């Protein structure tokens, strides 16, 4: 049974699961990949394999459980993932999307927004494909939402999604049918990047991402995690509705 959350920080703590192990197989370490993998709270291992570099791969495991793999041919995509619109085919078929699934529940640190945006696109696409349910998105500030406004306007216009957007009130977005803006000044909303989709009645589609800004003097530094656990997603959605829903009916 889920427990009620009383803050975004509490939900983030709940998102973090057991430590994982990422093993890269190949003739030599893939140096371009190491900075990405090092951001995760995981044991990183290289296993020498006498194959061409293009034939290597990585695996992710948790304890004795093998979770899956990604081929070396797709490593470049992991380093620089696509950040196309959620309905774009490039978003729907990607190695980064596969790695996102394998590393769910693994705490990460980030020093830029590229990988957070790529993960957000994957979750937005799940909501778009489902076409119903509730999608919650926290941008820290509404001015940061400005560049994403056309994406969310289209998400609401082309589906039956109920979209709620959160942030510090430093910009007033144009009204868009199906999009509700929820604000609160001077609190936790300014510290967290949040995305949650309740699954639209399908628990297998539920997903959530929370990333907390860790250095006010260096924007773009975060710690966070994501999850596909429907109970954890429900706890986050319930908290957002309880904490901010009544302020902007």
């Amino acid at each position: 049974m889920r427990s009620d959350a009383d803050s975004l920080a509490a939900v983030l703590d709940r998102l973090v699961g057991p430590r994982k192990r990422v093993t890269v197989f190949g003739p030599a370490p893939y140096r371009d990949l190491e900075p990405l993998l090092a951001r995760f709270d995981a044991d990183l291992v290289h296993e020498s394999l006498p194959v061409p570099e293009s034939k290597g791969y990585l695996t992710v495991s948790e304890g004795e459980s093998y979770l899956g793999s990604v081929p070396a041919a797709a490593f470049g995509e992991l380093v620089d993932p696509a950040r196309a619109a959620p309905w774009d085919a490039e978003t729907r078929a990607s190695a980064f999307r596969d790695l996102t699934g394998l590393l769910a529940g693994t705490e990460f640190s980030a020093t830029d927004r590229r990988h957070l945006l790529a993960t957000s696109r994957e979750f937005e696409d799940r909501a778009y494909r489902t076409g119903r349910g509730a999608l919650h998105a926290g941008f820290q500030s509404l001015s940061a939402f400005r560049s994403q406004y056309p994406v969310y306007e289209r998400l609401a216009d082309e589906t039956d999604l109920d979209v709620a957007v959160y942030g510090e009130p430093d910009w007033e977005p144009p009204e868009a049918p199906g999009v509700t803006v929820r604000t609160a000044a001077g609190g936790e909303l300014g510290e967290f990047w949040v995305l949650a989709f309740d699954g639209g009645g399908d628990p297998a589609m539920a997903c959530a991402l929370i990333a907390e800004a860790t250095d006010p003097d260096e924007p773009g530094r975060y710690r966070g995690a994501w999850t596909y656990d429907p109970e954890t997603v429900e706890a986050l959605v319930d908290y957002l509705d309880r904490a901010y829903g009544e302020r902007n009916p």
Side-chain angles (χ1 to χ4, degrees), residues 70-187:
V70 176
F75 284 179
E77 186 183 323
L78 301 184
V79 174
D80 188 19
R83 298 176 294 280
W87 42 80
D88 194 287
E90 194 176 11
T91 300
R92 296 186 175 179
S94 71
F96 185 80
R97 182 176 190 149
D98 295 338
L99 186 65
T100 296
L102 297 177
L103 291 176
T106 308
E107 185 172 357
F108 66 82
S109 60
T111 56
D112 63 56
R113 295 171 176 259
R114 289 182 305 154
H115 290 89
L116 282 176
L117 181 56
T119 304
S120 296
R121 286 291 185 249
E122 195 271 322
F123 289 178
E124 291 161 355
D125 179 61
R126 291 168 75 92
Y128 182 80
R129 285 184 289 124
T130 304
R132 61 187 183 278
L135 177 65
H136 299 255
F139 291 86
Q140 296 182 254
S141 65
L142 293 184
S143 60
F145 169 59
R146 186 195 301 261
S147 65
Q148 300 303 315
Y149 175 85
V151 172
Y152 279 77
E153 182 182 36
R154 180 169 171 177
L155 282 170
D157 180 59
E158 296 187 0
T159 70
D160 291 325
L161 289 167
D162 292 321
V163 178
V165 172
Y166 303 77
E168 292 270 357
D170 60 349
W171 178 63
E172 186 173 346
E175 290 188 9
V179 179
T180 300
V181 176
R182 298 176 173 179
T183 65

Side-chain angles (χ1 to χ4, degrees), residues 175-211:
E175 290 188 9
V179 179
T180 300
V181 176
R182 298 176 173 179
T183 65
E188 63 179 0
L189 290 184
E191 304 299 324
F192 286 87
W193 180 315
V194 180
L195 193 68
F197 173 52
D198 68 0
D202 182 356
M205 297 298 285
C207 53
L209 161 72
I210 303 181

Side-chain angles (χ1 to χ4, degrees), residues 39-50:
R39 297 172 187 166
F40 291 91
D41 182 28
D43 297 317
L44 306 179
V45 180
H46 171 254
E47 292 283 352
S48 181
L49 194 66

Side-chain angles (χ1 to χ4, degrees), residues 8 20 36 67 96 118 123 155 175 232 239:
L8 291 175
K20 293 183 175 64
L36 168 64
L67 302 180
F96 185 80
F123 289 178
L155 282 170
E175 290 188 9
T232 306
Y239 170 71

